[in-house]
Amino acid sequence: MLMETLLGALTPHIEGLGRKLQNLFPAIKIVMQDERFTSVQAKEALLQSGIGQKKRRDKGLVDKMAATILLQEYLEHTKYRF
């Protein structure tokens, strides 16, 4: 419940930032993407890949995996839109 409340409170600010960026850089399409659960997905992917517990606790590695997941989701979403 807290996450939905926080997201609800922040949404107008985030969308406003997206509009400002779009106005500043009209030639670049600004895409908004929900990334709230990518760290959880990254930890699960690392667990399933057999990586040891010590490495799975490495925040840098988790962040890299989460970024990979975000990029993959973006590419899949835009695959047929180019």
Side-chain angles (χ1 to χ4, degrees):
M1 185 65 168
L2 177 62
M3 187 180 308
E4 289 85 12
T5 303
L6 182 60
L7 182 64
L10 293 177
T11 298
H13 301 288
I14 295 166
E15 290 172 346
L17 176 60
R19 283 191 299 276
K20 286 180 184 177
L21 288 170
Q22 191 65 68
N23 290 334
L24 284 171
F25 305 102
I28 300 172
K29 182 179 179 185
I30 304 299
V31 177
M32 306 296 278
Q33 184 159 340
D34 187 351
E35 56 83 44
R36 290 176 290 169
F37 300 108
T38 55
S39 292
V40 173
Q41 291 172 308
K43 289 175 185 176
E44 183 62 30
L46 292 170
L47 178 64
Q48 290 179 4
S49 72
I51 291 178
Q53 185 176 17
K54 185 176 180 181
K55 284 191 177 183
R56 288 195 316 265
R57 290 184 180 159
D58 178 359
K59 182 166 175 16
L61 180 61
V62 173
D63 288 346
K64 287 177 188 177
M65 180 64 81
T68 301
I69 291 168
L70 269 175
L71 179 58
Q72 183 65 38
E73 288 175 355
Y74 170 79
L75 292 173
E76 287 174 2
H77 177 72
T78 60
K79 183 191 303 189
Y80 301 106
R81 296 177 190 227
F82 290 111

